[in-house]
Amino acid sequence: MYSVLHLITEKQSEKDINMADKLIRAITDDGKFRAIAIEATDMMKTVATFHDASQLGITILGRALLGSLMVSNAILKGDERLAISIDGQGPAGKVVVEASAQGEVRGYVTNPKVTLPLTPKGQPDVANAVGTDGFLSVTKDFGANEPFTGQVALVTGEIGDDLTYYMAKSEQIPSAVAVSVLVDPDGTIVTAGGFMVSTLPDATDEDIATLEDKLANFPAISTQMLEGFTPSDLLNNLFGEEQVKVLSTTEVNLYPEIAKHDYARMLATLPLTELQEILAEDHGVEIIDRFTGKIINFDENELQAIIASKDANGL
């Protein structure tokens, strides 16, 4: 069967509402810091069913999905969206994520089955799996057919650190991005969450130094989530009770899956001669959705119908 990869549509539809997974935007009462915090454990449990991933592979993808959601909500608005590509030449391959300001996300790791020994601290070795011999690229789509791409060199390959560096260098917004995805060795998602803190103009060097000290001594996000702490709790634990005002809450979820009829429309954009060649040689088409791992098949009759319609319209 002929394989067509990376077919993507812009189609969106109604989705199930899951209030357990949410992203909050907040500001400190003194107006010196803006913060975003997220919990997406249930969403990550769904993602884990899509990809035949190792503990390390799903940890990498989860960090990228959560970090991209927070970055998109920090720098986008309305229907705007972004695509993040992380390629550090490591054994995990490329990490690709799409996210919107409305809380939707999807992504994949080129080699989701990547395995490496645990770090000396007993953690999945994300840094060496991703690598640092490359770049993190962010392409912002503002809906005007003029996407803008910013790129920075990878710093540590840990993803959170690299998004932190991107925010400071490319967006000129000093920030700290922390993402955590706790995965059992069998691939079961235990917790998934994180936060991003950005400085505002009123923050002094002393304020920033104090925050850096707090971050350096902040308990592990996964430990706090296991104790039942919510995104709001994470920020209260960082800045102090009653020191943070929540401005808005957004549900987070995966982009709707691409329907077969949408794939049919995408196939119809291929040249007629190419479709006829596929029909003659392979008698059908097999499409692999890289975001879900699902296979969509078009048999000989279905492909003939696409060709007939295209030919009838003189395309």
Side-chain angles (χ1 to χ4, degrees), residues 208-277:
I208 295 171
T210 299
L211 175 62
E212 289 174 343
D213 183 63
K214 289 181 179 179
L215 290 170
N217 296 283
F218 198 60
I221 293 172
S222 59
T223 300
Q224 296 185 64
M225 293 185 70
L226 284 172
E227 294 175 0
F229 289 125
T230 66
S232 295
D233 294 329
L234 292 178
L235 298 182
N236 286 330
N237 293 343
L238 179 61
F239 291 105
E241 290 288 342
E242 308 300 328
Q243 299 301 309
V244 179
K245 177 183 179 182
V246 175
L247 302 176
S248 63
T249 300
T250 299
E251 301 146 8
V252 299
N253 214 324
L254 297 170
Y255 277 105
E257 291 184 27
I258 302 171
K260 186 172 181 176
H261 61 79
D262 291 312
Y263 279 114
R265 283 199 292 266
M266 286 184 276
L267 283 172
T269 65
L270 296 176
L272 182 61
T273 54
E274 184 174 343
L275 289 171
Q276 291 169 331
E277 184 178 312

Side-chain angles (χ1 to χ4, degrees), residues 31 35 75 95 98 102 119 123 128 181 184 186 192 201 212 217 228 244 247-248 284 296 314:
I75 64 177
V95 185
E98 295 180 12
Q102 297 179 338
T119 68
Q123 301 297 319
N128 282 316
V181 182
D184 279 343
D186 66 359
E212 289 174 343
N217 296 283
V244 179
L247 302 176
S248 63
I296 300 91

Side-chain angles (χ1 to χ4, degrees), residues 143-161:
N145 296 320
E146 294 181 3
F148 173 81
T149 299
Q151 186 179 77
V152 295
L154 289 170
V155 179
T156 67
E158 293 281 357
I159 297 179
D161 296 337

Side-chain angles (χ1 to χ4, degrees), residues 89-166:
Q89 303 298 313
K94 185 181 293 186
V95 185
V96 177
V97 177
E98 295 180 12
S100 76
Q102 297 179 338
E104 292 179 308
V105 70
R106 60 186 170 195
Y108 64 86
V109 178
T110 302
N111 179 21
K113 296 183 181 181
V114 59
T115 58
L116 289 175
L118 297 176
T119 68
K121 294 183 178 181
Q123 301 297 319
D125 194 353
V126 172
N128 282 316
V130 172
T132 57
D133 186 17
F135 299 89
L136 181 151
S137 302
V138 178
T139 300
K140 292 177 283 188
D141 181 358
F142 299 117
N145 296 320
E146 294 181 3
F148 173 81
T149 299
Q151 186 179 77
V152 295
L154 289 170
V155 179
T156 67
E158 293 281 357
I159 297 179
D161 296 337
D162 302 299
L163 290 171
T164 295
Y165 186 65
Y166 167 80

Side-chain angles (χ1 to χ4, degrees), residues 190-201:
V190 182
T191 63
F195 60 82
M196 180 170 76
V197 178
S198 303
T199 61
L200 293 174

